[in-house]
């Protein structure tokens, strides 16, 4: 269970006692031992020891450069830019198929991309706790070396025409490097900017989007100049030098830079006059509530320490909020990884066939789409700092629901500019989800758990790309084999329908995510069935039972119709209400008052 702490530890259920945790008996058998090690690995993150005391104690690049936060984020952008070359893999498909199989339409090189995405997600999920417990110079350098090694193996695979070696080299090895390098870079940047996590992580992830745009042109030029093997060797060397250099500018922030856990309340929240008076009476303080300089804040209430929820990795991964948000993230990214990844083919089939010519070439549309992807990552991260993570995330999914519902109209009527506008907006939402999710996880589960949680979240990206991609291609292939042409709008609209269903479900599940410590600790109402926060307001459904008991003896003169009416009134009623800001604040103050009393009583008993 996560714990609520100020000076003393208080459980989320209100209890004080911390029971000693007894180690379970050592299991017998190799399988059980491995299982226990895995459970221990994902139970708690061991943070690095001997962290510096201040920023002046941190030296970068072999001790030659003083540490500054802006240096960390620039290094992160450079690393992410090179990792973004993954999204330019489609440039290699036709040349590789032509070289190995003698047919550009062999459709074998495309499998490499799906393997890389799969290993990126699984490696990130497996390495998350390890990344969190080791220095970022080590983790980013290992990611860089794996990414470089995968490129070298890919060069050998294309030189000797071995598709299996290509799958292993770029798909497995480079995919593993991507998973480690991506998560460790974003984790460091998020830790250095606690007050603007959304903007910082969004800027870093925008580097990934920029790389996907730039390398589409770079790879094409390199293939024409050096050939396939030479291109992989050249790219590998460039990435080794640049990424290894940027890894030497990575460092964790000093002790005290971030709050150890999830903050329950902020510095600027104050109690009402009534709350201050009650707290003063209970704690034995005689203060004039009309004097501004004596205003009691939550910070003062908890002995000058901010109340914090300390969440272990096991409790984070085992919470319903984690998996609800996981599915919401999958829903938000599904449209991008499945539908928009086939954008060039769709434009060619829908708007450049049967004598029609689109106003923009497919390459131009895809380039603009990449710009929206990059802009969404950065700007939505900034807005999530202002609007709140959950509000911003729900907005992204909600906009996608509207867009996916409208795209079939533009496809059926072949309205080019309408179609492009819808797709670009959906791409903005797709990128925005990647930009704000690291900060979202840090806010919900603490900065010490960010790498582990973020790594597991990337499996949603892999699941959407592989599972969704296979489903999309399977439906498309079946419809075309049944006699429909590739320019038939029905093919694309059918795929939009199942995507829309998943996105709607993701929106509904995200509504129930308790995104803040306040939401997780907020006291339940009597008879409460459900409580959710939507765009900053609390809505709750409660069960209200009439006080008239149908089994109570009734006086002889009471009419039988009255008794029947009373029986009907006894059945529970449901009450749906929206709490005002004043009601929510009053209930929250009462909760904190109770915690303050319990904490003070525990201190007196000790």
């Amino acid at each position: 269970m996560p714990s609520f702490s100020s000076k003393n530890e208080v459980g989320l259920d209100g209890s004080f006692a911390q029971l000693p945790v007894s180690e379970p008996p050592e299991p017998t058998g190799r399988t059980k031992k491995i299982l226990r090690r895995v459970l221990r690995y994902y139970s708690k993150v061991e943070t690095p020891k001997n962290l510096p005391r201040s920023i002046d104690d941190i030296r970068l690049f072999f001790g030659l450069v003083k540490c500054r936060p802006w240096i960390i984020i620039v290094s992160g952008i450079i690393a992410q830019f090179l990792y973004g070359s993954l999204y330019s893999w489609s440039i290699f498909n036709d040349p590789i198929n032509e070289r190995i199989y003698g047919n550009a339409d062999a459709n074998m090189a495309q499998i490499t991309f799906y393997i890389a995405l799969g290993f990126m997600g699984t490696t990130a999920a497996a390495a998350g706790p390890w990344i969190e417990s080791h220095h970022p110079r080590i983790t980013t350098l290992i990611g860089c070396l794996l990414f470089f090694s995968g490129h070298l193996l890919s060069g050998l695979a294309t030189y000797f025409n071995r598709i299996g070696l290509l799958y292993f080299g770029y798909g497995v090895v480079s995919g593993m490097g991507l998973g480690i390098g991506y998560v460790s870079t974003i984790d460091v940047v998020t830790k250095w900017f606690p007050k603007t996590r959304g903007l910082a992580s969004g800027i870093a992830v925008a580097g990934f989007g920029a790389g996907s745009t730039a390398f589409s042109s770079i790879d094409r030029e390199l293939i024409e100049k050096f050939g396939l093997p030479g291109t992989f060797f050249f790219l590998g060397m460039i990435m080794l030098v640049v990424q290894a250099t940027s890894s030497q500018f990575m460092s964790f922030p000093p002790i005290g830079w971030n709050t150890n856990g999830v903050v329950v309340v902020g510095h600027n929240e104050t109690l009402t006059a009534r709350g201050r008076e009650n707290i003063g009476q209970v704690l034995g303080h005689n203060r004039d509530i009309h004097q501004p300089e004596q205003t009691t804040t939550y910070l003062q209430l908890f002995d000058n320490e901010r109340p914090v929820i300390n969440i272990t990795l096991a409790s984070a991964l085992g919470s319903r909020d984690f998996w609800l948000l996981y599915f919401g993230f999958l829903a938000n990214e599904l449209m991008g990884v499945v539908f928009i990844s086939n954008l060039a083919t769709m434009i060619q089939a829908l708007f450049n066939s049967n004598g029609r010519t689109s106003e923009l070439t497919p390459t131009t549309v895809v380039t603009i789409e990449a710009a929206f992807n990059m802009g969404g990552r950065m700007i939505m991260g900034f807005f999530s700092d202002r609007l709140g993570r959950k509000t911003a995330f729900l907005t992204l999914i909600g906009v996608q629901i509207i867009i996916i519902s409208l795209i079939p109209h533009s496809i059926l009527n072949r309205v080019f500019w309408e179609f492009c506008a819808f797709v670009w907006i959906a791409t903005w939402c797709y990128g925005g989800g990647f930009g704000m999710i690291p900060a979202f996880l840090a806010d919900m589960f603490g900065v010490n758990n960010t790498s582990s949680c973020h790594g597991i979240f990337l499996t949603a990206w892999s699941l959407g790309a592989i599972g969704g991609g296979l489903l999309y291609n399977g439906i498309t292939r079946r419809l075309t084999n049944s006699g429909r042409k590739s320019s038939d709008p029905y093919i694309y609209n059918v795929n939009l329908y199942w995507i829309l269903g998943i996105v709607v479900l993701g929106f509904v599940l995200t509504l129930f995510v308790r995104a803040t410590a306040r939401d997780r600790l907020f006291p339940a109402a009597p008879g409460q069935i459900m409580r959710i926060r939507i765009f900053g307001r609390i809505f709750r459904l409660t069960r209200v039972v009439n006080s008239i008991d149908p089994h109570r003896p009734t006086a002889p003169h009471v009419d039988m119709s009255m008794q029947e009416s009373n029986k009907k009134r006894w059945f529970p009623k449901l009450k749906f209400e929206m709490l005002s800001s004043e009601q929510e604040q009053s209930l929250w103050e009462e909760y904190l008052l109770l915690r303050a009393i319990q904490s003070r009583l525990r201190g007196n008993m000790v």
Side-chain angles (χ1 to χ4, degrees), residues 61 121 134-135 144 158 207 232 245 354 473 529:
F61 197 68
H134 289 76
H135 199 284
C144 159
T158 53
F232 282 114
T245 301
N354 299 326
N473 291 331
I529 299 175

Side-chain angles (χ1 to χ4, degrees), residues 51-68:
L51 288 176
R53 294 287 177 181
S54 68
I55 191 173
D56 296 329
D57 297 333
I58 304 175
R59 308 289 293 189
L60 307 176
F61 197 68
F62 307 104
L64 300 177
V65 179
K66 291 183 179 180
C67 180
R68 295 292 181 268

